Each structure stands twice: as C-alpha cells, then as structure tokens.
C-alpha cells in the first residue's frame, strides 16, 4: 500500500511527464509544419500559400522547447509553493476539521469503528474521563481496571448475586467463620475452575493480574491459621446448572 508521500511523488512525476510529452508534441507539430511550408512554397497558390506554415511551425517548436525548459526550471519552486499553500490551508482550517471529525465520531459509531484500531481506542477512551475528572492518571487507572474486567476477561458474568454469612469461630473468639456463596450466569471460558488460597502477597498479585481461571484468596500465615490448611480456606461446593461438580484438592507450603 502506497503512503501519502509516495502517492504525491507519483502524481508529481505524472504531471511532469504529461508536460514533457505536450512539449514534445508541440515540437513535432512544428517540425511537420516546417516541412509542409517547404513543400508548398512556390508550388501552390491560393489560400494554402497564404498560410504562414513556417512561422506557425517555428512558434510551435519554440513553445514546446520553452515549455519543457520552464517546467524544468520552476518545477521545484512550484512544488514548494504548492506545499506551502497546502500547509497554510491546513493550519488555518485545522480547528474546524478537528471539530468536524470529533463530532462525526461522537455521532456515528460506524465511522469510529471503521477508522479506529483497538490500540487507538485504548488511547482515545481515557482522554474523555480524564478531561471530565481533571486527572488523566486517575482516568487511566479507571479504564485499566474496566478493560481488565470486560475487554480482557474470558468470562462475563450476568445476573450475579453473592451471599455472605458470618458466624463466630467455635475455638477462637477473635475470628469468624465466613461462608460466601456466588451464583451467576456465564458462558464458561475454561473447561475447569480453580480456587487458591495463598500466603504470599506477590503470588496473590500475580494470580489476580493474570485474569485466568483461578480465583484467589490471601491469608497471612500465623500461629492460628495456615493458608494450606482447610481451616483457613475450603471450597465446599461447585455446581453448573444445579449439577454438582467433583472437587480435587492439592496443597503445598502456605498454598492450597
């Protein structure tokens, strides 16, 4: 695919070629007229003899050669002048053109979809909340979180509901037993689901950032609970469309 610069250079070369060909045709036509003038001189009479074939031929030859010379002499100056005029015109009308483009994008979703790539949209979208909120950094963080939860997510949950129950722990008064029940509708993005309990913050952050099939909890290792112990975390049940699924469990140090 040609770039704009290549297209402009090709167009300029085509124009120069047309100018040179026109000059050469004028020269050839002038030579033909000179030949006619020599042949008809003294041999014919009337209107044909009255036509100044030689003068016309000389004029055409001069015009052709002069046109080629002028084109060669002023081609660079003409190109520079045209480019300067174009730059001035674009600079003068740039605000109106910009406003027209933005208005078209805002009013017509199809126009924006046709010209904007995903990378460009990722640069454009945070600008609007950045201007409204007065903080581009905050807007970038919002869009980053939203993008991770929607665009980059392999699963979209709908009709989600969560139920959380807390009861005092039987053996430790300062702790609670927490039972969390999630129910949602989705098209599964994976063939299985994983649940993890970790005792390392870096590992927790890595699993969370991956946005994969693993849901992770963090429990700080202490004398009472270890993340690898069922007392710290246990998956009680998992079902799809009301059908219970089998659960497999594995553990290592500070991890299950």
């Amino acid at each position: 695919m040609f770039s704009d610069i290549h297209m402009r250079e090709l167009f300029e070369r085509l124009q120069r070629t047309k100018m040179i060909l026109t000059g050469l045709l004028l020269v050839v036509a002038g030579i033909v007229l000179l030949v006619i003038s020599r042949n008809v001189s003294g041999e014919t009479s009337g209107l044909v003899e009255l036509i100044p074939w030689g003068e016309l031929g000389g004029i055409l030859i001069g015009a052709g050669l002069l046109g080629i010379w002028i084109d060669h002499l002023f081609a660079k100056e003409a190109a520079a002048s045209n480019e300067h005029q174009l730059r001035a015109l674009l600079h003068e009308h740039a605000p109106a053109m910009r406003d027209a483009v933005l208005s078209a994008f805002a009013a017509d979703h199809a126009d924006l979809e046709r010209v904007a790539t995903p990378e460009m949209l990722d640069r454009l979208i945070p600008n609007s909340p950045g201007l409204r909120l007065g903080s581009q950094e905050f807007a970038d963080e919002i869009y980053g979180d939203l993008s991770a939860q929607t665009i980059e997510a392999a699963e979209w949950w709908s009709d989600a509901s969560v139920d959380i129950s807390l009861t005092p722990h039987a053996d430790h008064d300062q702790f609670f037993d927490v039972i969390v029940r999630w129910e949602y509708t989705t098209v599964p993005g994976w063939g299985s689901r994983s649940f993890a309990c970790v005792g390392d913050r870096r590992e927790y952050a890595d699993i969370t950032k991956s946005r994969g099939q693993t849901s992770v909890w963090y429990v700080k290792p202490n004398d009472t609970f270890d993340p690898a112990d069922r007392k710290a975390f246990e998956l009680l049940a998992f079902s799809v469309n009301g059908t219970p699924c089998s659960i497999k469990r594995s553990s290592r140090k500070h991890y299950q």
Side-chain angles (χ1 to χ4, degrees), residues 148-157 184-195 206-216 238-240 245:
Q149 296 177 20
T150 55
I151 301 175
E152 300 173 11
E155 289 184 353
W156 289 2
W157 294 3
Y184 54 88
T185 302
T186 188
V187 176
W190 305 277
S192 63
R193 287 285 297 174
S194 302
F195 300 84
D206 291 341
I207 297 176
T208 303
K209 187 180 299 183
S210 66
R211 306 288 178 180
Q213 65 189 66
T214 301
S215 301
V216 61
F238 189 87
S239 61
V240 177
C245 300

Side-chain angles (χ1 to χ4, degrees), residues 164-229:
I164 302 176
S165 62
L166 287 81
T167 57
H169 195 277
D171 300 328
H172 304 279
D173 296 337
Q174 67 272 30
F175 292 100
F176 289 88
D177 290 329
V178 181
I179 299 178
V180 182
R181 175 186 174 87
W182 275 96
E183 186 172 353
Y184 54 88
T185 302
T186 188
V187 176
W190 305 277
S192 63
R193 287 285 297 174
S194 302
F195 300 84
C197 183
V198 302
D200 183 85
R201 287 191 177 274
R202 180 174 298 178
E203 189 173 20
Y204 172 81
D206 291 341
I207 297 176
T208 303
K209 187 180 299 183
S210 66
R211 306 288 178 180
Q213 65 189 66
T214 301
S215 301
V216 61
W217 280 260
Y218 170 77
V219 174
K220 183 179 180 180
N222 53 66
D223 296 336
T224 305
F225 296 106
D226 185 274
D229 193 347

